[in-house]
Amino acid sequence: VFKVISSEHLKEILFRFVVGDICFLIFKARDKELYDYYKENLEELSANIEHPLNFIKVYPRKMEKKQKRIFTELAWGLSPEDINFEAIFRGSSRPRGTTLDDLNVYCENVHKNYLRVLEREKSGIYLDATLRHEGLESDLHRQIKVFIVKLLAEKYGLRTKEEIEEKIWTEKKIDGATPDVYDTIEGEAYEVETLFHEDNEGRKPRDKINETIRKYEKTSIEKINIVLDNLTFLLHVRDLWEIKKNIRGWEQKTGKSVEFFTLDLKNHKLMPLSEFLQKAKELIGCENVLVSSF
C-alpha cells in the first residue's frame, strides 16, 4: 500500500484521525516482509503526530463450528444451534450458516428485532411503564430498561401499567441516586450501561462503570446490578472481571453487592458475569486465568 499511497498522503490521513475518539487504520499483509515494511513506515509517521499509534498485530484464527456458535451467543444473547440456515438461505450459491459472518448477521438482526418487538409487547405496556432518561439516551439503552422492567413485572405477576409503576420504578431519585430501574420489592437497583458516547458523556468505559458504582456508596441501596448489552459485555469482559475483583474490599466495607449482567434473549433472562465467563471458557477451548480465578 505504501508503494501506491505516499507517506505524505498517509500522514494527512493520520492527522485527521486524531480528532476522533477511537480510530482504526487496518492494513492486511500476507507475508512478514510486507508487514515489516508497513510497521517501519507507520512508526516513522507516528513519531511526528500528537497521539502515538498503538500497533496491534492480529493473526486470523480458524474457529470450529461450535466456537462460532458460542461466540455468536455471547455477542448477541442468542443461541443459533437450532437455526436451519440452509432453509433460511435456500437458493444461495453456497451453504449458509457455516461462517461467522452468517451467524453474526442473522443473530444481530434477530437480536435487534427482539428488542423492537418487546417495545410493542402487550400493547406497549412495558415501554409505557419505562421512563426515558432526562438527558440523551440511545434506543438500545431504553430497550434494555424495558427488558428489565418486563422481567421484574413477570417475576412479581404485575399485570397493569399502574401495578408495574408502583413496584418497578424507573428514573426515580432514591437517597440522591437515580437508578435506571429500581425494584422496590427486593430493594435492588439496575443500571444500564451501553458505554456509547451519548450515554457515557465521553468518559472512558471503565471510569463510567466505577462512577456508577460509587454513586450508591451513601445510599440505602445494597444491591446494584449493572446490565450491559451483549456486544459491549463481550468487548469489556476483562474490565468487568477486574472491576469486580477490585471492589471486593469496598463491598465488604459498605455492605453492598455489585453484580454484572448481560441479556440472555434465548432464555429470556439476565446472564451473570460468572455464567458468561464459563461460556467464554468453552469458546477458547481451555482453562483461562480470567475464568478460573473468578
Side-chain angles (χ1 to χ4, degrees):
V1 69
F2 288 100
K3 296 177 181 179
V4 178
I5 303 176
S6 68
S7 295
E8 284 300 316
H9 182 65
L10 188 59
K11 183 178 180 180
E12 292 178 10
I13 296 175
L14 294 176
F15 270 111
R16 291 201 300 269
F17 272 19
V18 300
V19 302
D21 293 329
I22 301 175
C23 299
F24 297 91
L25 187 59
I26 301 173
F27 295 93
K28 181 178 180 180
R30 294 184 180 276
D31 59 76
K32 186 178 184 302
E33 182 179 351
L34 186 57
Y35 168 79
D36 291 338
Y37 187 66
Y38 285 170
K39 193 169 187 295
E40 181 181 347
N41 278 270
L42 286 170
E43 285 176 342
E44 183 178 343
L45 291 171
S46 176
N48 297 312
I49 63 175
E50 182 180 354
H51 301 287
L53 303 178
N54 181 24
F55 297 99
I56 302 175
K57 191 175 183 179
V58 179
Y59 292 97
R61 174 183 173 183
K62 187 174 182 179
M63 298 178 69
E64 298 177 358
K65 186 175 181 179
K66 179 182 178 181
Q67 290 175 309
K68 293 176 185 177
R69 292 180 180 272
I70 294 173
F71 178 86
T72 307
E73 183 173 353
L74 294 177
W76 301 111
L78 296 159
S79 177
E81 293 178 359
D82 301 322
I83 299 174
N84 186 348
F85 285 92
E86 285 70 22
I88 295 170
F89 296 105
R90 186 176 289 115
S92 173
S93 59
R94 66 172 178 82
R96 293 298 186 105
T98 57
T99 71
L100 190 58
D101 280 347
D102 288 340
L103 296 173
N104 269 304
V105 170
Y106 181 81
C107 288
E108 179 184 6
N109 290 333
V110 174
H111 176 98
K112 291 179 177 179
N113 187 62
Y114 180 105
L115 295 177
R116 284 194 294 265
V117 170
L118 175 61
E119 292 180 319
R120 302 191 300 271
E121 189 172 331
K122 293 188 177 180
S123 301
I125 187 173
Y126 303 118
L127 178 65
D128 291 344
T130 305
L131 297 178
R132 289 193 67 90
H133 189 274
E134 290 183 356
L136 293 174
E137 182 177 37
S138 66
D139 290 340
L140 179 59
H141 191 279
R142 177 91 182 278
Q143 288 170 336
I144 296 175
K145 284 161 55 179
V146 173
F147 181 81
I148 296 169
V149 168
K150 178 193 174 183
L151 292 183
L152 294 175
E154 291 182 339
K155 176 181 178 180
Y156 300 125
L158 308 176
R159 301 182 182 279
T160 68
K161 179 175 178 290
E162 290 71 24
E163 289 176 339
I164 296 172
E165 290 178 331
E166 180 183 355
K167 301 297 183 182
I168 311 300
W169 297 349
T170 55
E171 303 297 341
K172 187 171 182 178
K173 185 170 289 189
I174 304 168
D175 295 342
T178 306
D180 287 318
V181 180
Y182 181 68
D183 176 356
T184 66
I185 298 175
E186 297 289 343
E188 297 185 11
Y190 290 82
E191 288 284 350
V192 176
E193 298 290 355
T194 61
L195 303 183
F196 291 166
H197 185 274
E198 63 265 34
D199 287 329
N200 69 7
E201 299 175 346
R203 286 166 286 184
K204 292 183 179 180
R206 190 157 176 156
D207 291 340
K208 177 61 172 68
I209 292 172
N210 279 311
E211 289 172 16
T212 296
I213 294 171
R214 285 196 296 269
K215 79 178 186 180
Y216 288 97
E217 188 164 5
K218 296 182 180 180
T219 71
S220 59
I221 299 172
E222 296 184 351
K223 181 70 182 296
I224 303 105
N225 302 305
I226 300 180
V227 184
L228 295 87
D229 65 280
N230 298 85
L231 194 55
T232 299
F233 202 96
L234 178 61
L235 293 173
H236 295 282
V237 65
R238 179 173 291 277
D239 286 330
L240 300 179
W241 177 79
E242 290 176 347
I243 290 172
K244 178 63 178 174
K245 180 181 178 181
N246 292 338
I247 64 171
R248 285 173 180 166
W250 179 86
E251 289 178 310
Q252 292 175 354
K253 178 182 177 181
T254 61
K256 300 183 185 299
S257 173
V258 178
E259 299 295 340
F260 294 104
F261 295 90
T262 191
L263 310 185
D264 182 349
L265 302 185
K266 175 187 176 183
N267 298 302
H268 311 288
K269 68 182 184 70
L270 293 176
M271 180 187 295
L273 176 61
S274 56
E275 183 178 340
F276 190 94
L277 290 173
Q278 288 301 318
K279 290 183 179 294
K281 184 175 70 173
E282 293 182 54
L283 174 64
I284 61 177
C286 63
E287 289 293 333
N288 181 279
V289 66
L290 182 63
V291 177
S292 59
S293 299
F294 186 76

